[in-house]
């Protein structure tokens, strides 16, 4: 089999490296879970977006070019771990951690803003380990051949199930294999496969992710995921100037990477927001990390209902560095982690001029934030206004 398409949606390795270097200065969020946290029973979870305008992120206005193709409206992700390294005693990246991280992405709000491009849902399919080693130097066609071979063998589900349902087959490459042309950390494309049962030709949607750090692989995976869902064959959603040969897609104009539900993900262009975004909701927020050593004033709070303790508690705080005026929104677990580690201190100034330090206490197996008791109630966290 040869490449069905000469073009492909790519993730630039140098730009990813720069984004990960910046991300590495921030600690991983303290509440990483294999599946994103759910909100209180019956609560309406409101999804919004964190908007980025860092170096490498496109500035508005940007123009969306809609081609004749279609997005993957209802998508399912299957991972293929290619090579004997993945089942060895010391793989370069833990495949269980990588699988858990991808599952977290599929259960998070990451694709929420892809709805504006016609993407409705994302499901986890499963993972398959192929112990046969890939060539030391691989190409797009090598990965496409691997996927179509596994489909023919029945190891992976068949593509194109109809009604806009389809599968993205994502191949995780071992550290022993290097992309031939170089310069990329990942790519997505459309292959070609003929079903011997009905002699019908299908176009399986394929991506590969180059080996690296866990953060690097999840950021590349999310980049290829967003682009494969919105532009699976290079004929659907691109950013002007669109190209049928070098696809200019929604992640290609965005450089920012951030943690979402504890997993490093890439931002993508939202035409609705006219910005590079990563979706968040009030129960799963991005990790914003203030510089170490700052004493931050708490300006406002958010509260949420905790089923664990049976009442409202402070879910998030809005803080400000008085020396620069820069504000940082932190959820409760983040703030508690920074206090307990001695990384930052937080305080409240009451309307009467009193000042109280923010401390942590334990409820269940979590830390929560409160203020040191003193003679005034006006410097309590609960005396502050709420923010949305």
């Amino acid at each position: 089999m040869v490449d069905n398409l000469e073009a492909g949606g790519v993730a630039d390795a140098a730009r990813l490296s720069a984004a990960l270097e910046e991300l590495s200065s921030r600690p991983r969020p303290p509440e990483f879970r294999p599946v994103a946290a759910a909100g209180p029973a019956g609560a309406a979870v409101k999804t919004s977006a964190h908007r980025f305008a860092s170096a490498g992120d496109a500035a508005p206005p940007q123009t969306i070019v809609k081609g004749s193709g279609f997005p993957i409206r209802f998508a399912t992700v299957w991972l293929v771990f290619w090579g004997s390294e993945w089942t060895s005693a010391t793989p370069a990246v833990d495949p269980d951690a990588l699988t858990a991280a991808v599952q977290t992405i599929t259960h998070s709000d990451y694709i929420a803003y892809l709805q504006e491009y016609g993407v409705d849902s994302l499901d986890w399919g499963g993972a398959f380990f192929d112990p046969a080693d890939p060539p030391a130097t691989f190409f797009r066609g090598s990965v496409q051949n691997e996927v179509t071979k596994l489909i023919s063998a029945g190891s992976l589900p068949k593509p194109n199930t109809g009604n806009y349902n389809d599968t993205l087959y994502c191949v995780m490459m071992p550290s022993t294999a290097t992309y031939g042309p170089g310069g990329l950390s990942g790519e997505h494309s459309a292959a070609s496969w003929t079903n011997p049962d009905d002699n019908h030709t299908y176009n399986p949607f394929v991506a590969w992710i180059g080996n690296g750090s866990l953060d690097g692989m999840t950021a590349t995976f999310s980049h290829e995921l967003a682009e494969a869902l919105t532009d699976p064959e290079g004929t659907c959603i691109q950013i002007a100037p669109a190209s049928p040969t070098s696809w200019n897609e929604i992640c290609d104009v965005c450089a920012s990477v951030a943690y979402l539900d504890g997993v490093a993900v890439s931002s993508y262009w939202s035409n609705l927001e006219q910005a590079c975004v990563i979706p968040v909701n009030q129960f799963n927020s991005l990790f914003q990390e203030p510089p170490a050593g700052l004493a931050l004033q708490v300006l406002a709070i958010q509260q949420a209902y905790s089923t664990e303790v049976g009442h409202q508690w402070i879910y998030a705080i809005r803080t400000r560095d008085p020396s620069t005026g820069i504000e940082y929104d932190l959820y409760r677990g983040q703030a508690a982690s920074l206090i307990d580690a001695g990384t930052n201190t937080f305080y409240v100034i009451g309307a009467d001029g009193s000042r109280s330090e923010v401390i942590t206490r334990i409820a269940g197996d979590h830390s929560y934030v409160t203020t040191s008791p003193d003679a005034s109630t006006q410097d309590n966290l609960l005396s502050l206004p709420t923010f949305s």
Side-chain angles (χ1 to χ4, degrees):
M1 189 207 89
V2 297
D3 293 357
N4 182 54
L5 296 173
E6 291 304 316
V10 303
D12 182 83
R15 189 170 69 168
L16 175 67
S17 178
L20 291 175
E21 183 178 355
E22 192 278 331
L23 188 67
S24 67
S25 64
R26 315 175 203 168
R28 183 175 295 279
E31 296 181 9
F32 172 56
R33 288 177 290 275
V35 177
V45 178
K46 298 179 180 178
T47 300
S48 57
H50 187 99
R51 304 167 83 249
F52 294 89
S54 301
D57 293 324
Q62 298 290 321
T63 302
I64 293 293
V65 179
K66 174 67 172 73
S68 60
F70 298 92
I72 306 177
R73 186 175 177 185
F74 306 107
T76 301
V77 171
W78 271 83
L79 297 186
V80 175
F81 289 91
W82 192 5
S84 58
E85 179 184 78
W86 291 111
T87 54
S88 68
T90 56
V93 177
D94 181 358
D96 291 337
L98 188 51
T99 299
V102 169
Q103 287 179 300
T104 295
I105 293 172
T106 62
H107 289 91
S108 75
D109 291 303
Y110 182 69
I111 70 162
Y113 273 71
L114 299 185
Q115 291 182 358
E116 63 184 279
Y117 304 126
V119 177
D120 283 341
S121 68
L122 176 64
D123 290 321
W124 166 251
F128 180 79
F129 287 78
D130 182 359
D133 286 318
T137 301
F138 71 92
F139 298 84
R140 181 188 309 149
S142 313
V143 177
Q144 293 179 343
N145 284 336
E146 166 71 359
V147 169
T148 55
K149 178 194 76 173
L150 294 176
I151 294 173
S152 296
S155 302
L156 294 176
K158 296 176 181 178
N160 302 90
T161 56
N163 194 32
Y164 300 104
N165 288 275
D166 219 323
T167 302
L168 174 63
Y169 308 93
C170 189
V171 181
M172 299 297 180
M173 303 302 297
S175 64
T176 55
T178 303
Y179 179 59
L184 302 184
S185 59
E187 181 185 40
H188 77 92
S189 63
S192 178
W193 176 73
T194 300
N195 186 348
D197 296 334
D198 59 12
N199 205 37
H200 183 80
T201 298
Y202 297 83
N203 297 123
F205 302 129
V206 175
W208 63 264
I209 308 300
N211 202 273
S213 66
L214 177 64
D215 284 351
M217 295 187 75
T218 61
T220 302
F221 166 78
S222 62
H223 176 121
E224 298 305 333
L225 173 70
E227 294 187 339
L229 299 187
T230 56
D231 195 37
E233 297 181 278
T235 58
C236 189
I237 298 296
Q238 293 189 30
I239 309 292
S243 170
T245 55
S246 61
W247 307 345
N248 189 33
E249 297 173 314
I250 61 173
C251 289
D252 295 329
V253 297
C254 298
S256 289
V257 173
Y259 289 122
L260 176 62
D261 295 332
V263 177
V265 295
S266 295
S267 57
Y268 56 80
W269 182 262
S270 165
N271 198 47
L272 180 66
E273 295 286 342
Q274 279 291 296
C276 295
V277 304
I278 294 176
V280 298
N281 66 53
Q282 74 261 41
F283 299 108
N284 302 290
S285 64
L286 289 168
F287 188 75
Q288 293 181 264
E289 175 65 11
L294 291 183
L296 299 169
Q297 181 182 354
V298 183
L299 306 175
I301 63 171
Q302 285 184 11
Q303 293 189 76
Y305 185 83
S306 169
T307 55
E308 185 175 28
V309 298
H311 57 72
Q312 293 278 110
W313 66 354
I314 293 172
Y315 165 74
I317 59 175
R318 172 162 290 171
T319 70
R320 181 171 60 201
D321 174 7
S323 65
T324 63
I326 296 175
E327 295 183 356
Y328 302 91
D329 291 348
L330 306 172
Y331 69 87
R332 177 263 316 155
Q334 298 168 240
S337 176
L338 294 171
I339 294 170
D340 291 341
T343 305
N344 295 98
T345 58
F346 302 85
Y347 61 90
V348 178
I349 296 180
D352 58 0
S354 59
R355 173 173 169 150
S356 179
E357 299 300 313
V358 178
I359 60 174
T360 65
R361 296 191 187 280
I362 300 295
D365 60 353
H366 295 310
S367 292
Y368 70 96
V369 291
T370 185
T371 40
S372 299
D374 60 12
S376 175
T377 60
Q378 296 187 45
D379 57 10
N380 294 342
L381 283 170
L382 292 177
S383 69
L384 296 173
T386 59
F387 71 99
S388 60

